[in-house]
Amino acid sequence: MKTAYVLNGPNLNLLGTREPQVYGSQTLADVEALCAQACARHGFALEFRQSNHEGVLVDWIHEAGRAHAAGTLAGVVLNAGAYTHTSVALHDAIKGTGITLIELHISNVHAREAFRHHSYISPAAKAVMAGFGVPGYALAIAGLAELAPAA
């Protein structure tokens, strides 16, 4: 069984309380449950993680790269939070590992502040999703199922 990694960056641990008018009222635990259901539908195991630290996210992408090399990775859904707009390190990790990665945003970042319009992740990602709210995670996992090579 292949594994889908769902990685969440800074402040996503505050889902449910942080700007609910932007991010909704669902918690990160709710997102994990949604992802577990979506992975089960597509025959994937789930690795669901969150960190406020850039280097930890880089390490997890490297781990996913090793799974990719071993043929056990379905792909990665990454909500890098604010690191989307600042992290060359995440960009380089994604490119360096050769993983299939979907960049995900709960809100439509292009309808928000101008600094959120640029992504260092997008050029290294296979696809980008924004503005579907928390249900976007399940859509991204379905996208991985479409992109993942046959087992």
Side-chain angles (χ1 to χ4, degrees):
M1 173 181 290
K2 292 196 175 198
T3 300
Y5 279 60
V6 178
L7 304 179
N8 295 279
N11 300 311
L12 286 155
N13 56 307
L14 299 176
L15 281 178
T17 59
R18 177 187 175 213
E19 298 179 83
Q21 69 280 10
V22 175
Y23 299 106
S25 60
Q26 291 177 293
T27 66
L28 193 61
D30 296 330
V31 174
E32 183 173 7
L34 176 86
C35 290
Q37 293 168 356
C39 281
R41 277 194 303 276
H42 295 287
F44 297 148
L46 173 64
E47 279 292 331
F48 187 92
R49 302 175 185 174
Q50 186 276 329
S51 179
N52 293 319
H53 304 281
E54 182 179 26
V56 172
L57 292 166
V58 168
D59 288 342
W60 290 342
I61 290 170
H62 291 176
E63 180 184 317
R66 290 188 295 276
H68 171 70
T72 62
L73 181 73
V76 176
V77 175
L78 174 63
N79 184 341
Y83 290 139
T84 301
H85 319 293
T86 64
S87 183
V88 174
L90 285 171
H91 168 96
D92 289 349
I94 296 161
K95 286 193 74 167
T97 59
I99 59 174
T100 298
L101 183 134
I102 297 176
E103 175 186 344
L104 175 95
H105 301 282
I106 294 170
S107 68
N108 178 357
V109 293
H110 301 289
R112 297 183 63 199
E113 304 93 337
F115 72 85
R116 297 186 195 275
H117 299 177
H118 179 266
S119 170
Y120 283 97
I121 307 301
S122 295
K126 181 73 173 175
V128 178
M129 297 183 66
F132 287 98
V134 166
Y137 282 88
L139 295 171
I141 290 167
L144 285 180
E146 291 294 321
L147 296 171

